[in-house]
Amino acid sequence: AQTVTQSQPEMSVQEAETVTLSCTYDTSESDYYLFWYKQPPSRQMILVIRQEAYKQQNATENRFSVNFQKAAKSFSLKISDSQLGDAAMYFCAYRRRDFGNEKLTFGTGTRLTIIP
Amino acid sequence: DGGITQSPKYLFRKEGQNVTLSCEQNLNHDAMYWYRQDPGQGLRLIYYSQIVNDFQKGDIAEGYSVSREKKESFPLTVTSAQKNPTAFYLCASSKYGTPADEQYFGPGTRLTVT
């Protein structure tokens, strides 16, 4: 079974600084997808960024980027120029690539605090 | 606007009562999911459905039941057999057969059983 581990329950960063959230996963599959979801205080889950395992290039979405290390099974999220609105729980998630298998496996989350 | 609605936002029940949580989507998605969220445990999959009239158990299905009679609707019943029903419940949907696509989440229902 696949597992996703987020070893940092809480992180904090000064506004405008950069922070990196860690995620590791365990799988025997060679092809899969990885996601970072954000859950602000409203508790609405929002997709931040996704990475396809067969792509070597790291995904980037504006201030958000990932460091995908497939051999190490590591998928960290870097937030640059942190803003107050980035304060939230961040969840790493894994999904197999199989057709018809859209189940997501989530990590336990990292609570990110932005210090003004 | 397309999206997922869950009602009510807060739900209170007495122990021993069954309760049904509503989830409706107008995104024309085939697949729908129910997750449970507890503090420190992330999201855990309860049930999912890839097409109408078909659904599969997730990782923690015991004490829950679902139905999928319409594409737009995927209600979750928390039965009296669920030992620890107090939690935050999230419904999600996605296109079927497209694993790269994100799952869209509803705003959630906070269930408190006393």
Side-chain angles (χ1 to χ4, degrees):
Chain A
Q2 294 82 22
T3 59
V4 178
T5 301
Q6 293 180 251
S7 59
Q8 306 155 314
E10 296 183 357
M11 292 279 287
S12 61
V13 63
Q14 206 80 29
E15 193 176 1
E17 297 294 310
T18 295
V19 64
T20 298
L21 308 184
S22 301
C23 173
T24 58
Y25 57 94
D26 186 25
T27 183
S28 58
E29 304 290 328
S30 60
D31 208 1
Y32 45 86
Y33 297 92
L34 296 165
F35 303 82
W36 278 99
Y37 276 87
K38 169 185 177 180
Q39 187 180 42
S42 68
R43 307 199 77 171
Q44 179 82 48
M45 295 284 284
I46 303 163
L47 178 68
V48 174
I49 198 165
R50 88 191 81 197
Q51 175 78 41
E52 298 173 38
Y54 65 89
K55 290 186 177 179
Q56 292 186 337
Q57 186 173 5
N58 289 326
T60 299
E61 289 285 345
N62 301 314
R63 299 182 295 107
F64 298 86
S65 61
V66 299
N67 183 4
F68 173 49
Q69 301 290 326
K70 190 173 185 179
K73 296 180 182 174
S74 171
F75 182 58
S76 60
L77 174 69
K78 185 172 84 170
I79 306 174
S80 304
D81 185 26
S82 298
Q83 301 175 0
L84 294 178
D86 295 333
M89 284 288 289
Y90 286 82
F91 293 95
C92 179
Y94 166 100
R95 175 195 279 171
R96 286 169 56 177
R97 188 179 170 82
D98 309 28
F99 175 83
N101 187 341
E102 283 83 30
K103 291 168 54 177
L104 280 171
T105 300
F106 285 87
T108 53
T110 296
R111 182 176 302 281
L112 178 64
T113 300
I114 310 296
I115 303 167
Chain B
D1 288 336
I4 300 177
T5 56
Q6 291 185 245
S7 60
K9 191 173 179 67
Y10 299 97
L11 193 52
F12 297 89
R13 281 293 183 270
K14 293 289 187 184
E15 195 173 322
Q17 294 179 338
N18 291 354
V19 59
T20 298
L21 280 60
S22 167
C23 178
E24 304 276 335
Q25 55 96 2
N26 60 4
L27 299 167
N28 199 32
H29 285 167
D30 292 293
M32 296 186 74
Y33 313 81
W34 274 106
Y35 293 93
R36 170 180 171 139
Q37 186 176 20
D38 295 282
Q41 295 197 48
L43 277 70
R44 294 181 290 168
L45 183 65
I46 304 172
Y47 267 98
Y48 65 104
S49 168
Q50 292 168 331
I51 54 173
V52 174
N53 292 323
D54 186 49
F55 48 83
Q56 289 79 40
K57 293 181 179 180
D59 302 318
I60 55 166
E62 185 175 350
Y64 299 97
S65 66
V66 293
S67 63
R68 188 83 187 279
E69 298 176 0
K70 298 188 300 181
K71 186 176 183 178
E72 302 79 17
S73 178
F74 191 42
L76 173 75
T77 296
V78 184
T79 74
S80 56
Q82 168 50 233
K83 291 181 171 51
N84 296 296
T86 295
F88 187 64
Y89 291 87
L90 283 159
C91 178
S93 71
S94 68
K95 295 179 189 176
Y96 175 53
T98 53
D101 277 4
E102 66 180 287
Q103 288 187 9
Y104 292 80
F105 285 82
T109 292
R110 172 69 182 178
L111 173 64
T112 301
V113 176
T114 58

